[in-house]
Amino acid sequence: MVSRVIPVSAFDLVLFGATGDLARRKIWPGLFHRFVAGQFDESSRILGVSRSDLDRETFQARVAKAIEDPTADKAQVAKFLELVDYISIDATGERGWEALANAMRPDTVRAFYLSVAPNFFGPIARRLERNGIATPDSRIVVEKPFGHDLESAKVLNAELRECFQEHQIYRIDHYLGKETVQNLMALRFANSLFEPLWNSSQIDHVQITVAESLSVEGRGEYYDHSGAMRDMVQNHLMQLLCLTAMEPPSKFTPNAVRNEKLKVIEALEPVPMQDIARGQYRAFGEQGSYLDHSSNPNSTTESFIAMKVEVANWRWAGTPFYLRTGKCLRDRVSEIAVYFRNPPHMIFPGTETPQGNVLVIRLQPDEGMTLHTTIKDPGPGGMRLTEASLDMTFADSLKDAEKPQDAYERLIMDVIRGDQTLFMRGDEVESAWAWADPIIQGWTESGAKPQQYDVGSAGPEDALLLMHKDGRRWRPIGT
Ligand code: NAP
């Protein structure tokens, strides 16, 4: 197999929060995989930064543990660790900054990855600038959550823009790094088959589901101040909606793509309360309830949300987008299901279309696409109809291709390449908050309590009713 890995230029990557949970689970393994894939120039370096006072060997031992994998080649691990160094820095004080400034090399791509809490974004950006570490070409990457509401997102944007220009700022939404999400753009804009059908005259509705089977256990304190609307809908589901609904950009460049996504967010209608179902999981069997896991025994934070969203433009008027996400659901499923309209006239007497054509784009599990079609039920007995699927699971159909990269791997390499296409622009984030804020404010003002649903179910009753009143049904979650 010929490798299609495109090497990136030599870089100095400074990873703030290098001892944290995200770095351990995603960033270090992702960097190691790219190194093994041969994507790094071997003069590249990764400087881990955090508050703890650690020597290089102790830190490298931690990184080695994070990238531990029985299949990993020990020689490769050792070579990777040679690129890794550590500096202890106080993000809000003066300790360590001079050492970092001295460690940076001229004429090398500089990227600062802020895998730390958002209250450190401003202080770190200012210190990078003040100490002459940030250059006009360096990049700064920030993790979610990007704000709690419109006001706080504006503050974060202003803090970052004081020291970096927009073309240097990379706001991560790891959903955009998923292979299938990028495939959605390829499906729409590299094929002539679907685009003529991609509008309200041919599409009845769209369902976007991100269902998780896990609870918030262990993250209760954070989650209780967030909830499904802030944690998932305003960012991840919004991005999936944008990529599904946007107009074709004139070219595949960061701003052309992001301009089109922004137009979708700006075209969203306010969502009336009767078009939203809000839920909170309750104990079922062995499993605890949200209130057992939350830091607040009277919490009214939602762990589930379903809503009907209208995109008010010529392409989509009359075609609702139903969004649904939640914790402790029956299964772990992320997908976009595009429901095409039924044929206008049935010529087969006594038969009904079992289900119109549905194109399902699966993000997890088993990334791939399925097109549900109606065919003749095989065999004798007259003209009966049944459903058959054209199925493409990427792992099966692209056996010879390289294994898809994890979203973080892909996105970090994009940062080094200087490609912002799969990162959210500041105005997109603010617009998404401007849409979400009134919904959240409505719940706060009304004191609305989420409806309880069983752990392991498909969500609260209200979510089913939301669809039923429109004469539609959710796709099942899991089998
Ligand atoms: P974490 O485990 O709490 O780690 C926080 C990191 O920040 C540690 O490396 C810590 O260093 C460092 N730190 C704290 N105070 C510091 C200071 N004053 N100066 C310098 N470094 C300091 O957090 P995390 O879970 O990795 O999350 C990091 C960011 O990613 C957050 O914004 C989070 O919302 C976001 N995120 C996390 C996940 C996830 O799955 N964990 C997913 C998506 C987004 P010490 O260890 O030395 O104290």
Side-chain angles (χ1 to χ4, degrees), residues 269-403:
E269 293 279 18
V271 185
M273 285 301 155
Q274 66 269 23
D275 285 347
I276 305 178
R278 222 172 141 240
Q280 191 184 70
Y281 60 84
R282 65 172 156 232
F284 189 74
E286 306 272 286
Q287 308 249 30
S289 73
Y290 181 83
L291 296 179
D292 297 332
H293 300 152
S294 150
S295 51
N296 170 6
N298 302 312
S299 171
T300 57
T301 300
E302 76 285 351
S303 60
F304 175 98
I305 199 157
M307 58 167 66
K308 175 177 162 184
V309 176
E310 304 276 358
V311 183
N313 61 20
W314 273 57
R315 187 188 281 262
W316 294 115
T319 294
F321 285 72
Y322 295 91
L323 312 184
R324 171 175 61 159
T325 184
K327 302 262 179 211
C328 278
L329 296 175
R330 191 172 298 141
D331 212 340
R332 177 169 174 255
V333 179
S334 297
E335 63 178 31
I336 300 165
V338 179
Y339 282 71
F340 290 89
R341 294 194 188 282
N342 283 337
H345 169 65
M346 265 325 250
I347 64 165
F348 307 110
T351 60
E352 279 178 27
T353 310
Q355 181 189 42
N357 298 124
V358 185
L359 175 67
V360 181
I361 299 149
R362 285 190 310 277
L363 279 66
Q364 63 194 24
D366 306 330
E367 290 194 70
M369 295 183 200
T370 303
L371 178 62
H372 296 269
T373 58
T374 302
I375 60 161
K376 178 188 171 294
D377 201 359
M383 192 64 179
R384 285 172 285 108
L385 301 180
T386 188
E387 192 211 288
S389 342
L390 303 176
D391 191 26
M392 186 165 83
T393 300
F394 296 156
D396 297 339
S397 49
L398 305 173
K399 273 196 194 76
D400 293 334
E402 276 165 44
K403 199 170 144 271

Side-chain angles (χ1 to χ4, degrees), residues 15-27 49-54 62 86 88-93 95 97 113-121 124 142-145 172 174 219 222 231 236 408:
L15 175 56
F16 289 87
T19 52
D21 177 65
L22 183 67
R24 180 177 53 76
R25 290 191 307 105
K26 291 289 178 186
I27 304 173
V49 167
S50 71
R51 188 174 36 180
S52 307
D53 189 15
L54 304 171
R62 286 199 190 188
Y86 179 77
S88 165
I89 282 186
D90 181 3
T92 53
R95 181 172 52 83
W97 291 97
Y113 192 135
L114 275 48
S115 177
V116 290
N119 56 310
F120 292 123
F121 295 172
I124 292 178
V142 291
E143 264 300 333
K144 88 168 211 186
I172 285 215
H174 70 275
R219 285 176 75 220
Y222 160 78
D231 193 47
H236 305 317
Y408 275 92

